[in-house]
Amino acid sequence: MPALCRRCSARAILKRPKTGDTLCKECFFEVFELEIHQTILDSKLFRPGLRVAIGASGGKDSTVLAHVMKVLNERYKYGIDLFLLSVDEGITGYRGRFPGNGQAERNSDLYGWSMDEIVKQIGLKNNCTFCGVFRRQALDRGAMQMDVNMILTGHNADDIAETVIMNLLRGDIARLTRCTAIITGAEGTLPRAKPLKYAYEKEIVMYAYFKKLDYFSTECIYSPNAYRGYARTFLKDLESIRPRCIIDILHSGENFAVKSSVKMAVQGLCSRCGFISSQEVCKACILLDGLNRGLPRLAVAGKIKKVNRVFAVSTSQRSVESASGDSGSPLTDDKQKPEAEVA
Amino acid sequence: MAVIHVEFAGGVELLFDNVKKLTIPLECVGGDTASKENKILTIKDLLQRLRQSYLKQRPELFLQGDSIKPGILVVINDCDWELMGGPDYALAPGDTVVFISTLHGG
Amino acid sequence: MCQVEEEDLEKVAASEALAIPGESLKISDISERPCIKCGAPAAIHLRDEDFKCGACLVASVNQKFRIVLAKYKISSSKERVLVAFSGGPASSALLGTLRHATSGSIYSRLFLVPVILYIDEGASFELPLEERKKHLTSVMEAADSSGSAWLLLHSSLEMVFSSEPMQLTSEFVGGTALDVHTDTHCIERLGKLMRSVKTQTGKEEIAKLLRTTLMRKIARQLSISTLFLGDSVDRLAVQLITNTALGKGKRLPLDLGYLDAHDPICTIVRPLKDVTKKEIAMFNAVSEIRSVEVPVIQSVGDTRASVYSFTEKFVFDLQAGFPQTVTTLCKTGDKLCSVTAGKIGKKAEDDFCEFCLGPMDSSEKDSCTAENSIALSLRLSALLKKGPVDLEDVMSERRSGISSCGSKDVGCGDTETGGCCQSKEKKQPECDRLCYSCRWMMAELGDRTLLPDDLASELDQRGRRNKMRESIKEFLL
């Protein structure tokens, strides 16, 4: 005997992990979309005329995000212009196709290195660092080329809860208080927002399933950071014990306050490329420099002093180079590049 | 002949050699040892069957103990299995069981 | 989603460094290493290059105890402190450090008078009385074996329902079987309360709340204003994740700190906060301290039974591979505070939960928070569908009582009439005085009257608000 919808007594298709209620297909769609709409209203995310890029990986989260944003923008007349923006990391078979008519940024176009090439250099350990750092910046750069005012990402409630647990485990106090914010981004950079932050991963996947949205679900062929893997497995198990845990962790995360006596890194801008960074020189520049010098493990080794030393040399060299009219940095090259190709 | 349909989505298919759809005769679900006449076959039996005959790699990414790994959704006839009795749901001829991973990609 | 970010970088490097197999050293390898303090053969490997011999380890644990006590200012000489004792290794070690601190040279001696309290929790998971008697006797023997002439008391969890002043059995004569201090009426009430909670996690949370309430009651009855708990760093690390997973983020600093002065009746001190499970085991072995394990409510069911027991497994597994896990967790916890700076001046009386005495954590109306999000979810599913939902309607209702809507919804546990007791004009003021997680606990419970009658009134002492305001100021400094 199948269960009935709590709201309209039709045949239920889903048990909501957030509340334990049963809903039919129509009520589920309605409630799911309404809640995202309310998140957008409560956080005062948009104003009419805003140009908004959706960071589209082609995976479930960004596919659902893109679909819901289009629906809501039409239904509630946000008056915003939506764009899809995709980053091709250069991993064989990972980003096989792009959803719809979006814009693609390629790692190899921006940095002269594809992830496959990077892995050849650095091996499987730590390659996620390169990918994460480069992808994040590639998204920013792509967005700037498209002249948008904001980037939306598909992070869901499970992702954020996982990040809260990760930041506790590794003692990253600055990110711990930052990671639950719906809008992030320092001055001078594009704001990034997470409209799906209160949507459970289960509901996102169910939404995609029942709406018959086609998404791309290949696992990245390079294995993810093991430590994060533990947190992820833990969270999924916890959710099976007590589904409300996810939203409770978010509640906890939103209520963390750091003692005033604790020093925190202030986010500033990279002195080389001008992107958001908590250090003098951003990670992307350090990583890239390491790659270009044939010392790919330079920054990953975590020896800040050494990095600074190398960089002191590097910047002085660069000033000489630029004085002679030869700009050596691939980053500065990129800024002059024409629009990246449209997939 | 009574059959059930099994589908894999969201990345689970990668563990099954990229097979997205299977049709399994209901009587095969119980395996060779079970008495085929009387036994009520459940999702649990189906999981064992899949593991024995179809799962190609890394069973720990699909199963945890006797049940499904948390994070993989099970949809029976377009309905969340949590509403259908979970692993104890009794399979009926013509049922469609879909396994969808939430763990892949994003 | 792949969430690797820039900051992961240093951590990857750090975790690589941590992956040096510290725990896998064999005993024979350890004894070849010298103690870093005195050069004698080491008996324990703590971390990195930290090898210690037995004597130096005992000294360092005693030292850690003293450092915490130095932070806690003893107001008068001969101050009595209540020491919670479970019989387990950590609380046995706590007695050991106390004995060390209160004996010895008159110049270094601490003038504390410990009163040892064991609370038998057997009734919370329906342990037969005979078993409880057996456990009680063995726990009291272990306490007695500490060799100090301290007062040994015991009580039972169900006595939290008793309105009579507590009769505390105070005499323990070695070798005699003790009678559990109990009352059939109270056992019945506790049983009814525990049965009305469906999940093991909920049961454990209720039991914890009752235990704290009972200890506070006893402390007040004895006019003792300090309670020592034997929490080790490992236990606190598990507590940190558990609290986070149960929505008690704002409470973290209280449950993890050296000192919890939030409760005006009884200050909680955790002298073993920086001592690891491993150190405790070695400390007990070297000092020949006995401990006994008695079953507690957390030992019911397997590791997947509750959030706490599953988290415990997770943290300890991780600790085995990454030996810095628990210390990192606790250091993170130490950097958090429970009161946001701007809020001190505000009406302090509204800022504390009636049940757990934790800081209130309700969201502002119409703000984008997890609490408002779940309140909306509850509201939407309670709303019967009659044509398209008018969002304005839902929202205005949400607005009219939200910090409550979620809370009222869950507060009265009434899901039949659309969840909100607003409509039924029930008396629901206490819901507004409970924190997020206690409201959920109430929702799971369903019926307020199942709880001890004086749970709230016990706390509602004259001058409580003012005292609290004072204690917070201290806490902030």
Side-chain angles (χ1 to χ4, degrees), chain A residues 115 118-119 122-133 222-226 287 296-302, chain C residues 4-5 8-17:
Chain A
M115 266 313 285
I118 290 174
V119 170
I122 189 147
L124 278 176
K125 231 175 183 180
N126 296 326
N127 62 74
C128 287
T129 304
F130 284 84
C131 182
V133 170
Y222 303 122
S223 65
N225 177 341
L287 292 173
R297 297 188 52 81
L298 174 68
V300 187
Chain C
V4 178
E5 298 272 0
D8 277 4
L9 197 71
E10 297 99 52
K11 312 301 165 186
V12 172
S15 62
E16 262 183 13

Side-chain angles (χ1 to χ4, degrees), chain C residues 249-260:
Chain C
K250 207 159 191 176
R251 242 198 96 82
L252 273 186
L254 305 189
D255 287 341
L256 296 184
Y258 296 103
L259 202 68
D260 170 5

Side-chain angles (χ1 to χ4, degrees), chain C residues 144-159:
Chain C
D144 194 45
S145 72
S146 69
S148 308
W150 294 329
L151 194 57
L152 305 181
L153 303 176
H154 64 90
S155 183
S156 309
L157 193 59
E158 62 270 26
M159 296 316 284

Side-chain angles (χ1 to χ4, degrees), chain A residues 51-127:
Chain A
R51 290 168 63 85
V52 177
I54 298 173
S57 64
K60 57 185 162 50
D61 300 305
S62 57
T63 304
V64 168
L65 177 66
H67 178 87
V68 172
M69 286 315 302
K70 184 168 180 292
V71 168
L72 294 180
N73 190 29
E74 282 163 14
R75 187 185 299 161
Y76 297 107
K77 308 199 169 39
Y78 298 150
I80 55 171
D81 290 320
L82 289 165
F83 302 89
L84 286 178
L85 175 62
S86 208
V87 174
D88 178 3
E89 295 91 341
I91 299 173
T92 312
Y94 186 40
R95 307 283 185 221
R97 55 163 193 239
F98 297 114
N101 47 352
Q103 180 138 4
E105 282 302 322
R106 286 179 191 278
N107 254 1
S108 49
D109 294 343
L110 276 176
Y111 299 107
W113 291 84
S114 74
M115 266 313 285
D116 283 342
E117 287 165 342
I118 290 174
V119 170
K120 257 186 228 160
Q121 286 286 318
I122 189 147
L124 278 176
K125 231 175 183 180
N126 296 326
N127 62 74

Side-chain angles (χ1 to χ4, degrees), chain A residues 4 23 45 72 80 89 108-109 135 142 184 201 205 213 226 230 249 258 268 284 290 300 311 320 322:
Chain A
L4 299 180
L23 293 178
L45 217 50
L72 294 180
I80 55 171
E89 295 91 341
S108 49
D109 294 343
R135 186 186 44 206
T184 53
E201 196 158 54
V205 172
L213 300 180
Y230 290 124
I249 290 173
V258 178
V300 187
F311 260 89
V320 174
S322 41

Side-chain angles (χ1 to χ4, degrees), chain C residues 421-433:
Chain C
C421 19
Q422 273 174 313
S423 47
K424 291 173 77 187
E425 298 285 320
K426 265 195 194 170
K427 35 127 203 169
Q428 275 301 326
E430 73 249 27
C431 276
D432 291 334
R433 301 202 303 266

